Amino acid sequence: MIAEKGLAGLKTRDLAREIGCANGAVYNLVADVDELILRVGSRTLRRLDEALTGAEGAGAASPQETLIRIAIAYCDFAAENLELWRALFEHRMERGKIVPDWAISEQMELFRHIYRPLAALFPDRSPDELGITARSLFSAVHGMVALGLEQKLVAVPLPALRNEIAALVRATLLGLVVPAR
Amino acid sequence: MIAEKGLAGLKTRDLAREIGCANGAVYNLVADVDELILRVGSRTLRRLDEALTGAEGAGAASPQETLIRIAIAYCDFAAENLELWRALFEHRMERGKIVPDWAISEQMELFRHIYRPLAALFPDRSPDELGITARSLFSAVHGMVALGLEQKLVAVPLPALRNEIAALVRATLLGLVVPAR
DNA sequence: AAAATTTTTGAGCGACGCTCAAATTTCTCT
DNA sequence: AGAGAAATTTGAGCGTCGCTCAAAAATTTT
């Protein structure tokens, strides 16, 4: 239901009808919709992880090219799973409620894909520094995908978005790898 | 109310009580909450525009430095106006309803700040190309701010986030300006 | 087959955005 | 000033939402 109509299109009553049980029975499976959404997010993250792993392993490539591939794979996954991917970031917990640890650690796992090529590219950097760079790079690409796929601004055709992402990642890595200046 | 409790904390009944009128009277001022949120967003965008203008004009600087200043000003504005700034991007119109033109063009205006220094930096690029680069750069910085200020992932201290943003913008511009490779 | 336990049910609760006939206020004209 | 017209304000109420919980139904145990 999230995949079809977005987070806002998920209604417990519709859900109960679809799985063939009473409204109240939904809460035998799940404490509340927050948990439901987190569980769906977990599945989405797993599929995203697989997509990124696939991009990583597709033929030998320089660390730079690998990172570009990963970025584009991220973009493609978001485009192909638009509502599910959005649900990962749009969802806000009820005020005061805390995101469970397992949901957080799942997100952290994603950086692993970026971390390895980065480590190859910057052998002198500490793990901490690499972690920071990895998050920065991920965040930057994420922002491009997020705003690029938003129809609020002018819609960007997907191939154009891919090119922009590739160009930005390439330039950023180039700028990072050149220390003299 | 949005500034204090976020988009989800905005209730028409509370609003009516606060401004001292009946529940229904809210709809004499505004067609629905969507319009209300867009109007608040308009104010936020105007203040953001002023903040970026301030960063631009603060002393002579190279285009690179200017762009870094703007990026950091964006980060600071988001941090200081967290909920209002989030409302700009979290809000989704009711399904099928279209964002009015004035709201879209307001957002486009923001790129103006980035466009000018970029044009100075890349005199050979066409206006179209510059527009694309401007949006890419904005999106990347936006992503860093958005994920950096999210407490869902590990909270990043603001000064550290500023440094990461400055480093990324610097590296990206450096990579973009070096064509030979 | 009776009793104990577990599971399912759906009416119902409070809160939400929003509507609209009626009440009230404000304006207009002699 | 006062009567009639026009505009504004009111708040009960509608449909929908997530969620609850006593009662009904199904299942397991004895």
Side-chain angles (χ1 to χ4, degrees):
Chain A
M1 295 178 67
I2 294 175
E4 276 174 21
K5 318 188 87 182
L7 261 190
L10 172 65
K11 308 289 147 112
T12 58
R13 280 172 174 82
D14 294 344
L15 182 63
R17 195 181 324 118
E18 185 147 323
I19 66 182
C21 70
N23 298 335
V26 170
Y27 299 93
N28 295 336
L29 312 170
V30 124
D32 50 28
V33 283
D34 275 346
E35 184 190 330
L36 178 58
I37 291 170
L38 286 177
R39 287 215 184 301
V40 172
S42 177
R43 292 191 190 181
T44 307
L45 274 179
R46 217 160 49 82
R47 293 198 305 119
L48 172 57
D49 201 84
E50 286 165 13
L52 298 190
T53 302
E56 243 176 328
S62 67
Q64 287 98 329
E65 284 171 54
T66 304
L67 286 166
I68 292 175
R69 278 188 198 171
I70 292 173
I72 288 181
Y74 184 72
C75 174
D76 287 346
F77 181 89
E80 288 162 18
N81 304 271
L82 188 54
E83 294 295 350
L84 286 170
W85 170 77
R86 276 185 181 160
L88 289 176
F89 298 94
E90 280 184 9
H91 175 59
R92 305 263 159 232
M93 299 288 281
E94 206 177 328
R95 269 184 89 78
K97 224 157 80 177
I98 220 66
V99 182
D101 284 346
W102 60 263
I104 292 186
S105 64
E106 273 180 343
Q107 304 205 19
M108 292 314 223
E109 275 293 304
L110 272 188
F111 293 144
R112 173 186 95 241
H113 297 278
I114 313 178
Y115 188 94
R116 229 175 315 159
L118 268 187
L121 210 51
F122 304 104
D124 293 344
R125 294 202 182 186
S126 73
D128 275 4
E129 287 174 315
L130 285 172
I132 290 173
T133 308
R135 200 195 37 229
S136 294
L137 212 52
F138 171 81
S139 303
V141 172
H142 171 78
M144 292 191 64
V145 176
L147 296 191
L149 295 183
E150 189 140 11
Q151 80 278 22
K152 206 185 271 187
L153 302 174
V154 171
V156 186
L158 188 57
L161 183 57
R162 275 213 207 91
N163 287 339
E164 293 172 40
I165 290 172
L168 184 125
V169 173
R170 184 174 289 116
T172 305
L173 293 176
L174 186 56
L176 283 176
V177 95
V178 175
R181 195 32 87 112
Chain B
M1 296 177 66
I2 294 175
E4 276 174 21
K5 320 187 88 182
L7 261 191
L10 172 65
K11 309 288 146 115
T12 57
R13 281 170 171 84
D14 294 344
L15 182 63
R17 196 183 321 118
E18 185 145 324
I19 67 182
C21 70
N23 299 333
V26 170
Y27 299 92
N28 296 335
L29 312 169
V30 124
D32 49 29
V33 282
D34 274 347
E35 184 189 331
L36 178 57
I37 292 170
L38 286 177
R39 286 213 185 301
V40 172
S42 177
R43 292 192 190 181
T44 308
L45 275 179
R46 215 162 50 81
R47 294 199 303 119
L48 172 57
D49 201 85
E50 286 165 13
L52 298 190
T53 302
E56 244 175 327
S62 67
Q64 288 97 329
E65 284 171 53
T66 304
L67 286 165
I68 292 175
R69 278 188 197 171
I70 293 173
I72 288 181
Y74 184 72
C75 173
D76 288 346
F77 181 89
E80 287 162 18
N81 304 272
L82 188 55
E83 294 295 350
L84 287 170
W85 171 78
R86 277 184 181 161
L88 290 176
F89 299 94
E90 280 185 10
H91 175 58
R92 306 261 161 235
M93 299 288 281
E94 205 177 327
R95 267 184 90 78
K97 223 157 80 177
I98 219 65
V99 182
D101 283 346
W102 61 262
I104 292 185
S105 63
E106 274 180 343
Q107 302 205 20
M108 291 315 221
E109 275 293 304
L110 272 188
F111 294 144
R112 175 186 95 240
H113 297 279
I114 312 178
Y115 188 94
R116 230 175 315 159
L118 267 187
L121 208 52
F122 304 104
D124 293 343
R125 295 202 181 187
S126 73
D128 275 5
E129 289 173 315
L130 285 172
I132 290 173
T133 309
R135 202 196 32 231
S136 294
L137 212 52
F138 171 80
S139 301
V141 172
H142 171 79
M144 293 192 63
V145 176
L147 296 191
L149 294 183
E150 190 141 9
Q151 80 277 22
K152 205 184 274 187
L153 302 173
V154 171
V156 187
L158 188 58
L161 182 59
R162 275 214 208 91
N163 288 339
E164 293 172 40
I165 289 172
L168 184 124
V169 173
R170 183 173 289 116
T172 305
L173 293 177
L174 187 56
L176 283 176
V177 96
V178 176
R181 193 31 88 107

